[in-house]
Amino acid sequence: MTNEKRSSFTGKLGFVLAAAGSAVGLGNIWRFPYLAAKYGGGIFLLVYIILAVTLGFALMTAEIAIGRKTGLSAIGAFKELNKKYSFVGWLAAVIPMIILPYYSVIGGWVTKYLFAFLTGNGTMTAGDEYFGGFISQTAEPALWFFVFIGITAVIVLFGVEKGVEKVSKIMMPILVVLSVGIAVYSVCLPGAMDGVRYYILPDFSKFSATTVLAAMGQLFYSMSLAMGIMITYGSYMKKDVNLESSVGQIEIFDTGIAFLAGLMIIPAVFVFSGGTPEALGKGPSLMFVTLPKVFETMWGGHFVGILFFLLVLFAALTSSISLMETVVSIVCDKCKIGRKLSCLIVFAGSVVLGLISIFGYSIWSHITIIGLQFLDFFDFISNSVLMPVVAFLTCVFVGYVIKPQSLIDEVELSSKFKRKKLFVFVIKYMAPICIVLILVSSVLDAFGIFKI
Ligand code: TRP
């Protein structure tokens, strides 16, 4: 895409909503609560928030500023700023290719639950064995995965982004209202207070390097950082839109929804399974196991369930569409092939990887890689390994190659940069050091070589 032809967001609101639309998705509602439950509750939340206002703030500012400065998306932007570093853009481009397939598998689960609630079978999903029974099959999860990724592919093919954006503006506020409502209900369930305490009060004895790595991976995932998306969004941003306060608003939006999702789910885990380590460590299945139980006890829960899964499905679709769009446009540009063909290639590749994730829970459940099933392994590789690596390289690139000042100048085109000192400190020192230490210790940990 050339500079002259580049379309741009109409104003600040348009930019913030579009970026928040990409950021808010399954990461907030499905992934955040299960990680928080697994990694010690309050301590995870605390680490997450500290990372969000330092690392998240600095990286998002850097990415958006790189995009706005060059007017290009990731691969082109790094290349234009310094030829030697174009590999960082490439590395970033690999991440959505890994995420899209397993994201769509989870999207398929959400579709299945919506269908169950729509057909009056919502109460069935509240059974203890329901979820495990569902994902250990092969054909059913595969069918729902096809439905989800099929819808995504059709929308990407026809490119109805404008429609999606308009619907987002209506659906997102409803999602917020509904989340607040369900969270309040959940917190008021008898016995929920233990869960609220677990979720909000940090227990420092549960702190470890893996907590920080998991929180960091979640931060990148949730805010769509370290994969070039925010660079692309920045390239669409007008020069007079206040960059620093936009970043703040996107962060508040994204973290707010994640926090609410935790409040919907974690207290309910205490109510229904007593908050045992086993119940809290359930992992990817947590949302699918706990929420139906909440809806079952709720007055009008059946209807709330329909609405809830519809909105989650919607949030997931807007994210999967932009994930696929990213991959398709890279394949288009780099392989010099048409949009339709590249859409087909991406679809086929994702189906293969997605099926591997599905089989990993069923016929291949005996196979694990470093103790993880396929879906969890893809999640680990992209969020806990590749994203930190890209984030590290981005910091080094900004801090020592193009120098922070070049981006500060970009931010200051639209307003005074209030947190300039924080930005420089995080980019040059805090982020690179933290990322390396944590990445090394936890990767060694994952391979069982060394334990902290
Ligand atoms: N942030 C999204 C979520 O929370 C997931 C995601 C990661 C994403 N990277 C993305 C979405 C890129 C769109 C584009 O679910």
Side-chain angles (χ1 to χ4, degrees):
M1 214 180 285
T2 57
N3 268 343
E4 310 84 62
K5 279 201 199 131
R6 209 161 185 88
S7 57
S8 57
F9 293 112
T10 39
K12 185 172 174 204
L13 187 69
F15 176 75
V16 170
L17 281 180
S22 155
V24 174
L26 290 172
N28 306 61
I29 303 163
W30 156 74
R31 199 171 186 273
F32 182 84
Y34 92 68
L35 289 177
K38 188 168 165 186
Y39 291 102
I43 189 71
F44 182 87
L45 187 65
L46 181 69
V47 170
Y48 186 85
I49 291 174
I50 293 175
L51 289 177
V53 294
T54 51
L55 200 63
F57 163 74
L59 262 168
M60 190 180 285
T61 306
E63 289 198 16
I64 296 177
I66 289 176
R68 193 169 81 171
K69 186 178 166 72
T70 57
L72 296 167
S73 42
I75 299 179
F78 277 102
K79 194 168 162 197
E80 166 148 326
L81 292 171
N82 187 319
K83 259 208 154 57
K84 267 199 249 150
Y85 279 78
S86 52
F87 76 95
V88 183
W90 278 102
L91 209 53
V94 173
I95 301 172
M97 299 183 189
I98 302 177
I99 293 183
L100 176 65
Y102 84 79
Y103 199 86
S104 303
V105 172
I106 318 284
W109 299 350
V110 175
T111 320
K112 154 83 190 175
Y113 270 58
L114 173 63
F115 182 76
F117 272 88
L118 275 176
T119 50
N121 291 324
T123 29
M124 245 165 67
T125 60
D128 277 336
E129 305 303 324
Y130 185 84
F131 183 75
F134 167 60
I135 60 165
S136 58
Q137 297 165 20
T138 311
E140 251 223 283
L143 172 77
W144 292 107
F145 160 64
F146 279 127
V147 170
F148 184 89
I149 199 161
I151 299 174
T152 307
V154 168
I155 297 177
V156 171
L157 198 57
F158 289 103
V160 292
E161 294 95 355
K162 286 222 172 83
V164 169
E165 248 185 66
K166 273 196 193 127
V167 188
S168 302
K169 283 189 187 157
I170 307 167
M171 298 282 254
M172 283 303 169
I174 305 180
L175 185 67
V176 175
V177 173
L178 202 64
S179 303
V180 173
I182 300 172
V184 169
Y185 180 83
S186 210
V187 169
C188 293
L189 287 168
M193 270 308 138
D194 286 339
V196 176
R197 242 172 264 130
Y198 177 79
Y199 181 43
I200 299 203
L201 301 178
D203 171 357
F204 289 93
S205 68
K206 295 210 172 84
F207 182 84
S208 73
T210 13
T211 314
V212 187
L213 184 81
M216 203 161 75
Q218 173 60 15
L219 181 76
F220 299 148
Y221 186 87
S222 188
M223 298 194 174
S224 312
L225 293 173
M227 52 172 100
I229 306 285
M230 288 298 156
I231 299 185
T232 311
Y233 274 69
S235 71
Y236 297 132
M237 188 186 207
K238 284 196 177 145
K239 297 272 184 200
D240 59 356
V241 170
N242 187 324
L243 202 154
E244 187 181 10
S245 74
S246 301
V247 169
Q249 287 169 1
I250 299 165
E251 288 203 311
I252 291 172
F253 201 129
D254 190 68
T255 309
I257 300 259
F259 176 74
L260 282 173
L263 216 48
M264 288 191 262
I265 295 174
I266 296 174
V269 176
F270 276 71
V271 173
F272 296 110
S273 1
T276 53
E278 191 198 326
L280 288 167
K282 265 207 163 25
S285 66
L286 195 69
M287 172 176 116
F288 297 94
V289 173
T290 315
L291 278 181
K293 293 186 200 286
V294 175
F295 296 141
E296 202 189 15
T297 62
M298 198 176 206
W299 183 82
H302 181 75
F303 179 70
V304 179
I306 295 181
L307 207 57
F308 179 79
F309 281 109
L310 184 70
L311 293 168
V312 175
L313 177 64
F314 187 78
L317 270 175
T318 54
S319 295
S320 67
I321 291 164
S322 75
L323 277 166
M324 190 182 263
E325 176 70 46
T326 314
V327 182
V328 167
S329 68
I330 294 168
V331 174
C332 265
D333 288 358
K334 299 299 154 185
C335 304
K336 308 245 176 317
I337 53 174
R339 216 182 137 74
K340 282 202 181 112
L341 182 61
S342 94
C343 203
L344 199 69
I345 295 174
V346 172
F347 178 74
S350 305
V351 164
V352 172
L353 287 178
L355 284 177
I356 294 178
S357 295
I358 291 175
F359 293 160
Y361 282 130
S362 58
I363 47 175
W364 291 344
S365 62
H366 55 285
I367 309 174
T368 55
I369 313 171
I370 52 168
L372 299 170
Q373 283 172 313
F374 285 110
L375 190 148
D376 305 60
F377 176 72
F378 288 138
D379 189 70
F380 176 79
I381 281 293
S382 49
N383 300 300
S384 299
V385 181
L386 285 174
M387 283 200 208
V389 168
V390 172
F392 171 80
L393 291 170
T394 308
C395 290
V396 171
F397 181 69
V398 174
Y400 302 94
V401 181
I402 60 169
K403 302 279 175 348
Q405 192 58 42
S406 64
L407 295 186
I408 291 171
D409 293 343
E410 180 63 37
V411 174
E412 289 186 333
L413 283 181
S414 49
S415 67
K416 201 170 160 334
F417 194 172
K418 292 194 206 108
R419 280 167 285 179
K420 184 160 59 181
K421 287 211 177 92
L422 176 72
F423 174 75
V424 176
F425 172 74
V426 173
I427 291 282
K428 285 186 88 160
Y429 310 108
M430 178 187 149
I433 296 172
C434 272
I435 295 173
V436 168
L437 283 181
I438 290 159
L439 187 63
V440 171
S441 75
S442 82
V443 168
L444 293 181
D445 185 37
F447 287 97
I449 302 170
F450 171 75
K451 257 206 151 42
I452 295 198

